[in-house]
Amino acid sequence: MRKRKKIRLKKQVKLVLCLIVFIILAIVIGKSIYKDHVYKNSYEYKLEVHGYSADEVKLLIKNLSNKKLDELLESEKNDVLISLLKEKYFLKKNLDRYLDYYDKHKQTELSQIIAIVNVYADYETYEHDIDTDINKDELILCNKYYKLSADYEPDDLVQMNSKYYYGDSQSVRQEVYDAFIDMWNAANEEGIYLIVNSSYRTYADQDEVYNSYKDSYGEKEADAVAARAGYSEHQTGLAIDVFSKDNTSRATFKESLAYSWLEANAYKYGFILRYPEGKENITGYGAESWHYRYVGKDVAEYIYENDITFDEYYAYFIEK
Ligand SMILES: [Zn+2]
């Protein structure tokens, strides 16, 4: 009797154990089937199957909306898009405009497209106005898209000592003046006598400058060499047109020793060459070997070392 009871008990235990094992297995397998189902429906999986590498998939998911990802899955692998996403100064908010610009200018390098779109140069000049943020202090951006109001005037303008300029008297913001004197002294020690011939201009001054060009050469030519009132950096009190005592010619200043010295050293004092050669499509201006802009030492150093314009710097580091 006792023996039979024992056997029955053993059988029951076995049954319960089997049932537990079965339930556990069912849960584990079920979970893995579910996981597999979720994974196969994920963008990670679909994009990888579509030919994108794991790194590319990460980039795409980080920067594209689900709607865009769906569209992407309906067309062939988009290598241009991937290259754009890998560009150093890529901004997510500009993606559609990059692609648009690429469609119309397939020969343009992608880094150029990024720069052009970031600074709004994919719009016509003077047709996409943004009121510039005057609270940015020495980093105020003023160009053919970012404008100043007619009554904007910096509140810390100082008159320059007459030894630093020729022609009409000149003024700049205090911080710019201090930096300029440091730069002037350093250049002077190397036998170079820097001299300013234009600095702060009021809105009315600029209007006069622009209109005199316009009257003589017409609007197109005037726009190539001068800013319209409200769009000139000279109204910020942060820009100077600087030459040397022995060369004040716009035509030949670039060949002077002073120009070479400024090109190599100005950034150490917080100044940048604002309209360099080769960047005309970004800055909107022909090269000006004499126009320097104060942005402070750190920003000037970055711009100098990375060979970008202030417009690009502003778009990527300040505005975004
Ligand atoms: Zn200038």
Side-chain angles (χ1 to χ4, degrees), residues 71-150:
E71 283 169 18
L72 203 62
L73 288 167
E74 277 162 27
S75 49
E76 277 181 27
K77 188 178 181 220
N78 190 336
D79 290 320
V80 172
L81 174 63
I82 294 295
S83 301
L84 276 170
L85 295 175
K86 288 180 179 167
E87 279 293 329
K88 186 174 178 185
Y89 297 111
F90 171 86
L91 291 172
K92 197 171 162 179
K93 68 174 173 116
N94 291 341
L95 180 58
D96 286 341
R97 282 165 55 218
Y98 298 140
L99 293 171
D100 223 46
Y101 196 90
Y102 173 77
D103 276 343
K104 291 172 195 146
H105 307 84
K106 291 218 162 72
Q107 302 306 315
T108 309
E109 273 180 45
L110 295 185
S111 60
Q112 270 291 301
I113 293 179
I114 296 274
I116 288 168
V117 170
N118 282 1
V119 307
Y120 296 100
D122 52 334
Y123 292 99
E124 287 293 317
T125 52
Y126 301 121
E127 284 180 17
H128 189 270
D129 283 351
I130 301 162
D131 291 326
T132 203
D133 182 358
I134 53 168
N135 296 315
K136 293 283 187 267
D137 205 26
E138 82 275 10
L139 296 178
I140 290 176
L141 176 63
C142 188
N143 61 23
K144 290 176 179 177
Y145 304 97
Y146 286 80
K147 65 179 295 197
L148 290 162
S149 63

Coordinates of all heavy atoms in Angstrom, one line a residue, residues 71-150:
E71 N 9.6 56.9 -46.7 CA 9.9 57.3 -48.1 C 11.2 56.7 -48.5 O 11.3 56.2 -49.7 CB 9.9 58.8 -48.2 CG 8.6 59.5 -48.2 CD 8.7 61.0 -48.0 OE1 9.8 61.6 -48.3 OE2 7.7 61.6 -47.6
L72 N 12.1 56.7 -47.6 CA 13.5 56.2 -48.0 C 13.4 54.7 -48.3 O 14.1 54.2 -49.2 CB 14.4 56.4 -46.7 CG 15.9 56.5 -47.0 CD1 16.2 57.6 -47.9 CD2 16.6 56.6 -45.7
L73 N 12.6 54.0 -47.6 CA 12.5 52.6 -47.8 C 11.8 52.2 -49.1 O 11.8 51.1 -49.6 CB 11.7 51.9 -46.6 CG 12.5 51.8 -45.3 CD1 11.6 51.5 -44.2 CD2 13.6 50.8 -45.5
E74 N 11.1 53.2 -49.7 CA 10.4 53.0 -51.0 C 11.3 53.3 -52.2 O 10.9 53.0 -53.3 CB 9.2 53.9 -51.0 CG 8.0 53.2 -50.3 CD 6.9 54.2 -50.0 OE1 6.8 55.2 -50.7 OE2 6.2 54.0 -49.0
S75 N 12.5 53.8 -51.9 CA 13.4 54.1 -53.1 C 14.7 53.4 -52.9 O 15.0 52.8 -51.8 CB 13.6 55.6 -53.2 OG 14.0 56.1 -52.0
E76 N 15.6 53.5 -53.9 CA 16.9 52.8 -53.8 C 17.8 53.5 -52.7 O 17.5 54.6 -52.3 CB 17.6 52.9 -55.1 CG 17.2 51.8 -56.1 CD 17.9 51.9 -57.4 OE1 19.1 52.4 -57.4 OE2 17.3 51.5 -58.4
K77 N 18.8 52.8 -52.3 CA 19.7 53.3 -51.3 C 20.2 54.7 -51.7 O 20.7 54.9 -52.8 CB 20.9 52.4 -51.1 CG 21.8 52.8 -49.9 CD 22.9 51.8 -49.7 CE 23.7 52.3 -48.5 NZ 25.1 52.2 -48.6
N78 N 20.1 55.7 -50.8 CA 20.4 57.1 -51.1 C 21.8 57.4 -50.5 O 21.9 57.9 -49.4 CB 19.3 58.0 -50.5 CG 19.4 59.4 -51.0 OD1 20.5 59.8 -51.4 ND2 18.3 60.1 -51.0
D79 N 22.8 57.3 -51.4 CA 24.2 57.6 -50.9 C 24.4 59.0 -50.7 O 25.2 59.4 -49.8 CB 25.2 57.0 -51.9 CG 25.2 55.5 -51.9 OD1 25.1 54.9 -50.8 OD2 25.2 54.9 -53.0
V80 N 23.8 59.9 -51.5 CA 23.9 61.3 -51.3 C 23.5 61.8 -49.9 O 24.1 62.5 -49.2 CB 23.2 62.1 -52.4 CG1 23.2 63.6 -52.1 CG2 23.8 61.8 -53.7
L81 N 22.3 61.2 -49.5 CA 21.8 61.6 -48.2 C 22.7 61.2 -47.1 O 23.0 61.9 -46.2 CB 20.4 60.9 -48.1 CG 19.7 61.0 -46.7 CD1 19.4 62.4 -46.4 CD2 18.5 60.1 -46.6
I82 N 23.3 60.0 -47.2 CA 24.2 59.5 -46.2 C 25.4 60.4 -46.1 O 25.9 60.8 -45.1 CB 24.7 58.0 -46.5 CG1 23.5 57.1 -46.4 CG2 25.8 57.6 -45.6 CD1 22.9 57.0 -45.0
S83 N 25.9 60.8 -47.3 CA 27.1 61.7 -47.3 C 26.8 63.0 -46.7 O 27.6 63.6 -46.0 CB 27.6 61.9 -48.7 OG 28.0 60.7 -49.3
L84 N 25.6 63.5 -47.0 CA 25.2 64.8 -46.4 C 25.1 64.7 -44.8 O 25.6 65.6 -44.1 CB 23.8 65.2 -46.9 CG 23.7 65.9 -48.2 CD1 22.2 66.0 -48.7 CD2 24.3 67.3 -48.1
L85 N 24.5 63.6 -44.4 CA 24.4 63.4 -42.9 C 25.8 63.3 -42.2 O 25.9 63.6 -41.0 CB 23.6 62.1 -42.6 CG 22.2 62.1 -43.0 CD1 21.6 60.7 -42.7 CD2 21.4 63.1 -42.3
K86 N 26.8 62.9 -43.0 CA 28.1 62.8 -42.4 C 28.9 64.1 -42.5 O 30.0 64.2 -41.9 CB 28.9 61.7 -43.1 CG 28.4 60.3 -42.8 CD 29.2 59.3 -43.5 CE 28.7 57.8 -43.2 NZ 29.3 56.8 -44.1
E87 N 28.4 65.1 -43.2 CA 29.1 66.4 -43.3 C 29.3 67.1 -41.9 O 28.3 67.0 -41.1 CB 28.4 67.3 -44.2 CG 28.6 67.0 -45.7 CD 30.1 67.4 -46.1 OE1 30.7 68.3 -45.6 OE2 30.5 66.7 -47.0
K88 N 30.4 67.7 -41.7 CA 30.8 68.3 -40.4 C 29.7 69.3 -39.9 O 29.4 69.4 -38.8 CB 32.1 69.0 -40.5 CG 32.7 69.5 -39.2 CD 34.1 70.0 -39.4 CE 34.6 70.6 -38.1 NZ 36.0 71.2 -38.3
Y89 N 29.3 70.2 -40.9 CA 28.4 71.2 -40.4 C 26.9 71.0 -40.8 O 26.1 71.9 -40.9 CB 28.8 72.6 -41.0 CG 30.2 73.0 -40.5 CD1 31.3 72.9 -41.4 CD2 30.4 73.3 -39.2 CE1 32.6 73.3 -40.9 CE2 31.7 73.6 -38.7 CZ 32.8 73.6 -39.5 OH 34.0 73.9 -39.0
F90 N 26.6 69.7 -41.0 CA 25.2 69.3 -41.3 C 24.2 69.8 -40.1 O 24.5 69.6 -39.0 CB 25.1 67.8 -41.4 CG 23.7 67.3 -41.5 CD1 23.0 67.2 -42.7 CD2 23.0 66.9 -40.3 CE1 21.7 66.8 -42.8 CE2 21.7 66.4 -40.4 CZ 21.0 66.4 -41.6
L91 N 23.1 70.4 -40.6 CA 22.1 70.8 -39.6 C 20.8 70.2 -40.0 O 20.3 70.3 -41.1 CB 21.9 72.4 -39.6 CG 23.0 73.2 -39.1 CD1 22.8 74.7 -39.3 CD2 23.2 73.0 -37.6
K92 N 20.2 69.4 -39.0 CA 19.0 68.7 -39.3 C 17.9 69.5 -39.9 O 17.2 69.1 -40.8 CB 18.6 68.1 -37.9 CG 17.6 67.0 -37.9 CD 17.5 66.5 -36.5 CE 16.3 65.6 -36.3 NZ 16.2 65.1 -34.9
K93 N 17.7 70.7 -39.4 CA 16.6 71.6 -39.8 C 16.7 72.0 -41.3 O 15.8 72.4 -41.9 CB 16.5 72.9 -39.0 CG 17.7 73.8 -39.1 CD 17.6 75.1 -38.4 CE 18.8 75.9 -38.5 NZ 18.8 77.2 -39.2
N94 N 17.9 71.8 -41.9 CA 18.1 72.3 -43.3 C 18.1 71.1 -44.3 O 18.3 71.3 -45.5 CB 19.5 73.0 -43.4 CG 19.5 74.3 -42.7 OD1 18.4 74.9 -42.4 ND2 20.7 74.8 -42.4
L95 N 17.8 69.9 -43.8 CA 17.9 68.7 -44.7 C 17.1 68.9 -46.0 O 17.7 68.6 -47.1 CB 17.4 67.5 -43.9 CG 17.5 66.2 -44.7 CD1 18.9 65.9 -45.2 CD2 17.0 65.0 -43.9
D96 N 15.9 69.3 -45.9 CA 15.1 69.4 -47.2 C 15.7 70.4 -48.1 O 15.7 70.2 -49.4 CB 13.7 69.9 -46.9 CG 12.9 68.7 -46.3 OD1 13.3 67.6 -46.4 OD2 11.8 69.0 -45.6
R97 N 16.3 71.5 -47.6 CA 16.9 72.5 -48.5 C 18.2 72.0 -49.1 O 18.5 72.3 -50.2 CB 17.1 73.8 -47.7 CG 15.7 74.6 -47.6 CD 15.8 75.7 -46.6 NE 16.9 76.6 -46.8 CZ 17.7 77.2 -45.8 NH1 17.4 76.9 -44.6 NH2 18.6 78.0 -46.2
Y98 N 19.0 71.2 -48.3 CA 20.2 70.6 -48.9 C 19.8 69.8 -50.1 O 20.4 69.8 -51.2 CB 20.9 69.7 -47.9 CG 21.4 70.3 -46.6 CD1 21.3 69.6 -45.4 CD2 22.0 71.6 -46.6 CE1 21.8 70.2 -44.2 CE2 22.5 72.1 -45.4 CZ 22.4 71.4 -44.2 OH 22.9 71.9 -43.1
L99 N 18.8 68.9 -49.9 CA 18.4 68.0 -51.0 C 17.9 68.7 -52.2 O 18.1 68.4 -53.3 CB 17.4 67.0 -50.4 CG 17.9 66.0 -49.3 CD1 16.8 65.2 -48.7 CD2 18.9 65.0 -50.0
D100 N 17.1 69.8 -51.9 CA 16.6 70.6 -52.9 C 17.7 71.2 -53.7 O 17.7 71.2 -55.0 CB 15.8 71.7 -52.2 CG 14.5 72.0 -52.9 OD1 13.8 71.0 -53.2 OD2 14.2 73.1 -53.2
Y101 N 18.7 71.8 -53.0 CA 19.8 72.5 -53.7 C 20.6 71.4 -54.5 O 21.0 71.7 -55.6 CB 20.7 73.1 -52.6 CG 21.6 74.2 -53.2 CD1 21.3 75.5 -53.4 CD2 22.9 73.8 -53.7 CE1 22.1 76.4 -54.0 CE2 23.7 74.7 -54.3 CZ 23.3 76.0 -54.4 OH 24.2 76.9 -55.0
Y102 N 20.8 70.3 -53.9 CA 21.5 69.2 -54.6 C 20.8 68.8 -55.9 O 21.5 68.7 -57.0 CB 21.7 68.0 -53.7 CG 22.3 66.8 -54.5 CD1 23.7 66.8 -54.7 CD2 21.5 65.8 -54.9 CE1 24.2 65.7 -55.4 CE2 22.1 64.7 -55.7 CZ 23.4 64.7 -55.9 OH 24.0 63.7 -56.6
D103 N 19.5 68.7 -55.9 CA 18.8 68.4 -57.1 C 19.0 69.4 -58.2 O 19.0 69.0 -59.4 CB 17.3 68.3 -56.8 CG 16.9 67.0 -56.2 OD1 17.7 66.0 -56.4 OD2 15.8 66.9 -55.6
K104 N 19.2 70.6 -57.8 CA 19.4 71.7 -58.9 C 20.8 71.9 -59.2 O 21.2 72.6 -60.2 CB 18.7 73.0 -58.4 CG 17.2 72.9 -58.4 CD 16.6 74.1 -57.7 CE 15.2 73.9 -57.3 NZ 14.8 74.6 -56.1
H105 N 21.7 71.5 -58.3 CA 23.2 71.7 -58.6 C 24.0 70.5 -58.3 O 24.8 70.4 -57.3 CB 23.7 72.9 -57.6 CG 22.9 74.1 -57.7 ND1 21.7 74.3 -57.0 CD2 23.0 75.2 -58.4 CE1 21.2 75.5 -57.2 NE2 22.0 76.1 -58.1
K106 N 23.8 69.5 -59.1 CA 24.4 68.2 -58.8 C 25.9 68.2 -58.9 O 26.6 67.3 -58.3 CB 23.9 67.1 -59.8 CG 22.4 66.8 -59.5 CD 22.1 65.3 -59.7 CE 20.8 64.8 -59.0 NZ 19.6 65.3 -59.6
Q107 N 26.5 69.2 -59.5 CA 28.0 69.2 -59.6 C 28.6 69.9 -58.4 O 29.8 69.8 -58.2 CB 28.4 70.0 -60.9 CG 27.8 69.5 -62.2 CD 28.2 68.0 -62.4 OE1 29.3 67.6 -62.2 NE2 27.2 67.3 -62.8
T108 N 27.8 70.5 -57.6 CA 28.4 71.2 -56.4 C 28.8 70.3 -55.3 O 28.1 69.3 -55.0 CB 27.4 72.3 -55.9 OG1 26.9 73.0 -57.0 CG2 28.0 73.2 -54.8
E109 N 30.0 70.5 -54.7 CA 30.4 69.6 -53.6 C 29.5 69.7 -52.5 O 28.9 70.8 -52.2 CB 31.8 70.1 -53.2 CG 32.9 69.5 -53.9 CD 34.3 70.0 -53.4 OE1 34.4 70.0 -52.1 OE2 35.1 70.4 -54.2
L110 N 29.3 68.6 -51.8 CA 28.3 68.6 -50.7 C 28.7 69.5 -49.6 O 27.8 70.1 -49.0 CB 28.2 67.1 -50.2 CG 27.6 66.1 -51.1 CD1 27.3 64.8 -50.5 CD2 26.2 66.6 -51.7
S111 N 30.0 69.7 -49.3 CA 30.4 70.6 -48.2 C 30.0 72.0 -48.6 O 29.6 72.8 -47.7 CB 31.9 70.5 -47.9 OG 32.6 70.8 -49.1
Q112 N 30.0 72.3 -49.9 CA 29.6 73.6 -50.4 C 28.1 73.8 -50.2 O 27.6 74.9 -49.8 CB 30.0 73.8 -51.9 CG 31.3 74.3 -52.1 CD 31.4 75.8 -51.7 OE1 30.7 76.6 -52.3 NE2 32.3 76.1 -50.8
I113 N 27.4 72.8 -50.5 CA 25.9 72.8 -50.4 C 25.5 73.1 -49.0 O 24.7 73.9 -48.7 CB 25.3 71.5 -51.0 CG1 25.5 71.4 -52.5 CG2 23.8 71.5 -50.6 CD1 24.9 70.2 -53.1
I114 N 26.2 72.4 -48.1 CA 25.9 72.6 -46.6 C 26.2 74.1 -46.3 O 25.4 74.7 -45.6 CB 26.9 71.7 -45.8 CG1 26.6 70.2 -46.1 CG2 26.8 72.0 -44.3 CD1 25.5 69.6 -45.3
A115 N 27.3 74.6 -46.7 CA 27.7 76.0 -46.4 C 26.7 77.0 -46.9 O 26.2 77.8 -46.3 CB 29.1 76.3 -46.8
I116 N 26.4 76.8 -48.2 CA 25.4 77.7 -48.9 C 24.1 77.7 -48.2 O 23.5 78.8 -47.9 CB 25.3 77.3 -50.4 CG1 26.6 77.7 -51.1 CG2 24.1 78.0 -51.1 CD1 26.7 77.1 -52.5
V117 N 23.6 76.5 -48.0 CA 22.2 76.5 -47.4 C 22.2 77.0 -45.9 O 21.3 77.7 -45.5 CB 21.7 75.0 -47.5 CG1 20.4 74.9 -46.6 CG2 21.4 74.7 -48.9
N118 N 23.3 76.6 -45.2 CA 23.3 77.1 -43.8 C 23.3 78.6 -43.6 O 22.7 79.1 -42.7 CB 24.6 76.5 -43.1 CG 24.5 75.1 -42.7 OD1 23.4 74.4 -42.9 ND2 25.5 74.5 -42.1
V119 N 23.9 79.3 -44.6 CA 23.9 80.7 -44.5 C 22.8 81.4 -45.3 O 22.8 82.6 -45.5 CB 25.3 81.3 -44.9 CG1 26.4 80.7 -44.2 CG2 25.5 81.2 -46.4
Y120 N 21.9 80.6 -45.8 CA 20.7 81.1 -46.5 C 21.0 81.5 -48.0 O 20.2 82.2 -48.6 CB 19.9 82.2 -45.8 CG 19.3 81.8 -44.5 CD1 20.0 82.0 -43.3 CD2 18.2 81.0 -44.5 CE1 19.4 81.6 -42.1 CE2 17.6 80.6 -43.3 CZ 18.3 80.9 -42.1 OH 17.7 80.5 -40.9
A121 N 22.2 81.2 -48.4 CA 22.6 81.7 -49.8 C 21.9 80.9 -50.9 O 22.1 81.1 -52.1 CB 24.1 81.6 -50.0
D122 N 21.0 80.0 -50.5 CA 20.1 79.3 -51.5 C 18.9 80.3 -51.8 O 18.1 80.0 -52.7 CB 19.7 77.9 -51.0 CG 19.1 77.9 -49.6 OD1 19.4 78.8 -48.8 OD2 18.3 77.0 -49.4
Y123 N 18.8 81.3 -51.0 CA 17.8 82.4 -51.3 C 18.4 83.5 -52.0 O 19.6 83.7 -51.9 CB 17.2 82.9 -50.0 CG 16.3 81.9 -49.3 CD1 16.8 81.2 -48.2 CD2 15.0 81.7 -49.6 CE1 16.1 80.3 -47.5 CE2 14.2 80.8 -48.9 CZ 14.7 80.1 -47.8 OH 14.0 79.2 -47.1
E124 N 17.7 84.3 -52.7 CA 18.2 85.5 -53.4 C 18.6 86.5 -52.3 O 17.9 86.6 -51.2 CB 17.1 86.2 -54.2 CG 16.8 85.4 -55.5 CD 17.9 85.4 -56.5 OE1 18.6 86.5 -56.7 OE2 18.2 84.4 -57.1
T125 N 19.7 87.2 -52.5 CA 20.1 88.2 -51.5 C 19.0 89.3 -51.4 O 18.3 89.6 -52.4 CB 21.4 88.9 -51.9 OG1 21.3 89.3 -53.2 CG2 22.6 87.9 -51.8
Y126 N 18.8 89.8 -50.3 CA 17.8 90.9 -50.0 C 16.4 90.4 -50.2 O 15.5 91.2 -50.2 CB 18.1 92.1 -50.8 CG 19.5 92.7 -50.6 CD1 20.4 92.9 -51.7 CD2 19.9 93.2 -49.3 CE1 21.6 93.4 -51.5 CE2 21.1 93.7 -49.1 CZ 22.0 93.8 -50.2 OH 23.3 94.3 -50.0
E127 N 16.2 89.1 -50.3 CA 14.8 88.6 -50.4 C 14.4 87.7 -49.3 O 13.4 87.0 -49.4 CB 14.6 88.0 -51.8 CG 14.5 89.0 -52.9 CD 14.3 88.4 -54.3 OE1 13.9 87.3 -54.4 OE2 14.5 89.2 -55.3
H128 N 15.3 87.6 -48.3 CA 15.0 86.7 -47.2 C 15.5 87.3 -45.9 O 16.5 87.0 -45.4 CB 15.7 85.3 -47.4 CG 15.2 84.3 -46.4 ND1 15.9 84.1 -45.2 CD2 14.2 83.4 -46.4 CE1 15.2 83.1 -44.6 NE2 14.2 82.7 -45.3
D129 N 14.8 88.4 -45.5 CA 15.3 89.2 -44.4 C 15.0 88.6 -43.0 O 14.0 88.1 -42.7 CB 14.6 90.5 -44.4 CG 15.2 91.5 -45.5 OD1 16.2 91.1 -46.0 OD2 14.6 92.5 -45.7
I130 N 16.1 88.6 -42.2 CA 16.0 88.2 -40.8 C 16.4 89.4 -40.0 O 17.5 89.9 -40.2 CB 16.9 87.0 -40.5 CG1 16.5 85.8 -41.5 CG2 16.8 86.5 -39.1 CD1 17.6 84.7 -41.6
D131 N 15.6 89.7 -39.0 CA 16.1 90.8 -38.1 C 17.2 90.2 -37.2 O 16.9 89.3 -36.4 CB 14.9 91.3 -37.2 CG 13.9 92.1 -38.0 OD1 14.3 92.7 -39.0 OD2 12.7 91.9 -37.7
T132 N 18.4 90.7 -37.3 CA 19.5 90.1 -36.6 C 19.4 90.4 -35.1 O 18.8 91.4 -34.7 CB 20.9 90.6 -37.1 OG1 21.8 89.6 -36.8 CG2 21.3 91.9 -36.6
D133 N 19.9 89.4 -34.3 CA 19.8 89.5 -32.9 C 20.9 90.4 -32.3 O 22.1 90.0 -32.3 CB 19.9 88.1 -32.3 CG 19.8 88.1 -30.8 OD1 19.6 89.2 -30.2 OD2 19.8 87.0 -30.2
I134 N 20.6 91.6 -31.9 CA 21.6 92.6 -31.5 C 22.1 92.3 -30.1 O 23.1 92.8 -29.7 CB 21.1 94.0 -31.6 CG1 19.8 94.2 -30.8 CG2 20.9 94.5 -33.0 CD1 19.4 95.6 -30.6
N135 N 21.5 91.3 -29.4 CA 22.0 90.9 -28.1 C 23.2 90.0 -28.2 O 23.8 89.6 -27.2 CB 20.9 90.2 -27.3 CG 19.8 91.2 -27.0 OD1 20.0 92.3 -26.6 ND2 18.6 90.7 -27.2
K136 N 23.6 89.6 -29.4 CA 24.8 88.7 -29.6 C 26.1 89.5 -29.4 O 27.2 88.9 -29.6 CB 24.7 88.1 -31.0 CG 23.6 87.1 -31.2 CD 23.8 85.8 -30.5 CE 22.7 84.8 -30.8 NZ 21.7 84.7 -29.8
D137 N 26.0 90.7 -29.1 CA 27.2 91.5 -28.8 C 28.2 91.5 -29.9 O 27.9 91.8 -31.0 CB 27.8 91.0 -27.5 CG 28.6 92.1 -26.8 OD1 28.3 93.3 -27.0 OD2 29.5 91.8 -26.0
E138 N 29.5 91.0 -29.6 CA 30.5 91.1 -30.6 C 30.3 90.0 -31.7 O 31.0 89.9 -32.7 CB 31.9 91.0 -30.0 CG 32.4 89.6 -29.7 CD 32.0 89.1 -28.3 OE1 31.1 89.8 -27.7 OE2 32.5 88.1 -27.9
L139 N 29.3 89.2 -31.5 CA 29.0 88.2 -32.5 C 27.7 88.5 -33.3 O 27.1 87.6 -33.9 CB 28.9 86.8 -31.8 CG 30.1 86.3 -31.2 CD1 29.9 85.0 -30.5 CD2 31.3 86.2 -32.2
I140 N 27.3 89.7 -33.3 CA 26.2 90.1 -34.2 C 26.5 89.8 -35.6 O 27.6 90.1 -36.1 CB 25.9 91.6 -34.0 CG1 25.4 92.0 -32.7 CG2 25.0 92.1 -35.1 CD1 25.2 93.5 -32.4
L141 N 25.6 89.2 -36.3 CA 25.8 88.9 -37.7 C 25.0 89.9 -38.5 O 23.8 90.2 -38.3 CB 25.3 87.5 -38.0 CG 25.3 87.0 -39.5 CD1 26.8 87.0 -40.0 CD2 24.7 85.7 -39.7
C142 N 25.7 90.4 -39.5 CA 25.0 91.4 -40.4 C 25.5 91.0 -41.8 O 26.7 91.1 -42.1 CB 25.4 92.8 -40.0 SG 24.4 94.0 -40.9
N143 N 24.6 90.6 -42.7 CA 25.0 90.3 -44.0 C 23.8 90.5 -44.9 O 22.8 91.2 -44.5 CB 25.6 88.9 -44.2 CG 24.6 87.8 -43.7 OD1 23.4 88.0 -43.8 ND2 25.1 86.6 -43.4
K144 N 23.7 89.9 -46.1 CA 22.6 90.2 -47.0 C 21.3 89.5 -46.7 O 20.3 89.6 -47.4 CB 23.1 89.9 -48.5 CG 24.1 90.9 -48.9 CD 24.6 90.6 -50.3 CE 25.6 91.7 -50.7 NZ 26.3 91.5 -52.0
Y145 N 21.3 88.8 -45.5 CA 20.1 88.1 -45.1 C 19.8 88.6 -43.6 O 18.6 88.6 -43.3 CB 20.3 86.6 -45.1 CG 20.7 86.1 -46.4 CD1 22.0 85.9 -46.8 CD2 19.7 85.9 -47.4 CE1 22.4 85.4 -48.0 CE2 20.1 85.5 -48.7 CZ 21.4 85.3 -49.0 OH 21.7 84.9 -50.2
Y146 N 20.8 88.9 -42.9 CA 20.6 89.4 -41.5 C 20.7 90.9 -41.5 O 21.8 91.4 -41.7 CB 21.6 88.8 -40.6 CG 21.3 87.3 -40.3 CD1 21.7 86.3 -41.2 CD2 20.7 86.9 -39.1 CE1 21.4 85.0 -41.0 CE2 20.5 85.6 -38.8 CZ 20.8 84.6 -39.8 OH 20.6 83.3 -39.5
K147 N 19.6 91.6 -41.1 CA 19.7 93.1 -41.2 C 19.6 93.8 -39.8 O 19.0 93.2 -38.9 CB 18.7 93.6 -42.2 CG 17.3 93.4 -41.7 CD 16.3 94.0 -42.7 CE 16.4 95.5 -42.8 NZ 15.2 96.0 -43.5
L148 N 20.1 95.0 -39.8 CA 20.0 95.8 -38.6 C 18.9 96.9 -38.9 O 18.6 97.2 -40.0 CB 21.3 96.6 -38.3 CG 22.5 95.7 -37.9 CD1 23.8 96.5 -38.1 CD2 22.3 95.3 -36.4
S149 N 18.2 97.3 -37.8 CA 17.2 98.3 -38.0 C 17.9 99.7 -38.3 O 19.1 99.9 -37.9 CB 16.3 98.4 -36.8 OG 17.1 98.8 -35.7
A150 N 17.2 100.6 -38.9 CA 17.7 101.9 -39.2 C 18.3 102.7 -38.0 O 19.2 103.4 -38.1 CB 16.7 102.7 -40.0

